[in-house]
């Protein structure tokens, strides 16, 4: 069983709710109103060390919701947007009020020791008073057989060629052996977590460079590899994607570039 001290706001002195049974924290439609940078904290007493899966069920509420990052201690679990994605400015109240639904989201697995840990929910979006609602239905923490390992690294780029003196963006998705997509974020204090992150580099920086968002810049005609180092639970897995920097032959009036050759690319572990 999971022993709960209660939901606490900011200074951990104001108890908002207490409710728990069998690793299933159900705050009975718990709704919190809080501002950018504020943190809710919930103390958890983990009785047995091991791997745990974390899932949440929450309501998305028109344009009123916050965006929040979830952590256990300083370990990033994932992000949830409590606003509804179908809301658009100019909707009537009647239309907007229909944009309320409840969805479930799978977060990262976490390796915990026995003892007291803290679940943190940190608001990360700025906004007006109309964006300060978090309606959390449940947080479910269940024992897993073991910590998952990296199963698939998918590197997606629009082309295997970078136009000289232009940029190309690479996107990466990481899937784990438990079937869940790995989610990456900063530590609770906003700093980079070197044990859970994606690091980009170029094998040939004379041809192209890449920043830590995956944006590559073609510097000189040549070949190289985009190197993607994935760190999950302190374990490193590497995948590479061959790329070439080529000259632009022509740019049409609508901005379409004709290069020496063109092809799409997808690398997968």
């Amino acid at each position: 069983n999971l022993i709960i001290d209660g939901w606490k706001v900011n200074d951990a002195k104001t108890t908002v709710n207490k409710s728990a049974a069998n690793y299933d924290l159900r705050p009975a439609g718990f709704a919190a109103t809080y501002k950018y940078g504020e943190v809710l904290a919930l103390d958890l007493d983990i009785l047995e060390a091991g791997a745990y899966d974390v899932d949440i069920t929450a309501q998305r509420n028109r344009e009123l919701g916050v965006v929040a990052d979830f952590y256990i201690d300083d370990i990033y679990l994932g992000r949830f947007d409590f606003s509804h994605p179908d809301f658009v400015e100019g909707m009537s109240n009647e239309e907007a009020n229909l944009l309320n639904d409840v969805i479930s989201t799978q977060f990262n697995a976490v390796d915990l020791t026995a003892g007291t840990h803290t679940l943190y929910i940190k608001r990360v979006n700025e906004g007006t008073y109309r964006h300060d609602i978090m309606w959390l239905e449940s947080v479910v923490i269940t024992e897993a057989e073991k910590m998952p390992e990296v199963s698939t690294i998918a590197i997606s780029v629009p082309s295997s060629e970078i136009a000289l003196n232009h940029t190309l963006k690479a996107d990466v998705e990481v899937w784990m052996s438990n079937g869940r997509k790995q989610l990456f974020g900063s530590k609770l204090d906003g700093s980079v977590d070197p044990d859970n992150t994606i690091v980009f580099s170029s094998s040939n920086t004379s041809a192209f460079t890449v920043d830590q968002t995956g944006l590559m810049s073609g510097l000189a005609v040549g070949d190289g590899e985009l190197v993607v180092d994935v760190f999950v639970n302190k374990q490193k897995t590497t995948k590479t994607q061959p790329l070439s920097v080529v000259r632009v032959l022509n740019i049409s009036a609508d901005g379409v570039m004709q290069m020496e050759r063109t092809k799409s690319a997808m690398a997968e572990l």
Side-chain angles (χ1 to χ4, degrees), residues 5-99:
D5 282 346
W7 292 101
K8 302 169 184 178
V9 181
N10 291 335
D11 58 6
K13 294 180 180 178
T14 304
T15 299
V16 180
N17 187 283
K18 292 183 180 180
S19 178
N22 299 324
Y23 302 100
D24 188 353
L25 323 183
R26 294 192 176 275
F30 169 72
T33 300
Y34 66 127
K35 306 301 181 184
Y36 172 67
E38 292 183 342
V39 178
L40 300 177
L42 178 67
D43 289 334
L44 314 175
D45 192 6
I46 301 298
L47 303 184
E48 295 185 9
Y52 290 85
D53 288 330
V54 182
D55 302 270
I56 73 163
T57 300
Q59 178 176 308
R60 299 183 299 183
N61 192 309
R62 40 185 294 176
E63 87 283 22
L64 304 180
V66 307
V67 179
D69 282 345
F70 287 68
Y71 301 82
I72 288 183
D73 299 333
D74 207 20
I75 302 170
Y76 182 79
L77 301 175
R79 175 172 292 185
F80 193 87
D81 187 344
F82 289 85
S83 293
H84 201 285
D86 293 338
F87 176 83
V88 294
E89 292 294 337
M91 273 187 171
S92 67
N93 280 332
E94 291 76 13
E95 292 174 316
N97 286 336
L98 295 175
L99 298 180

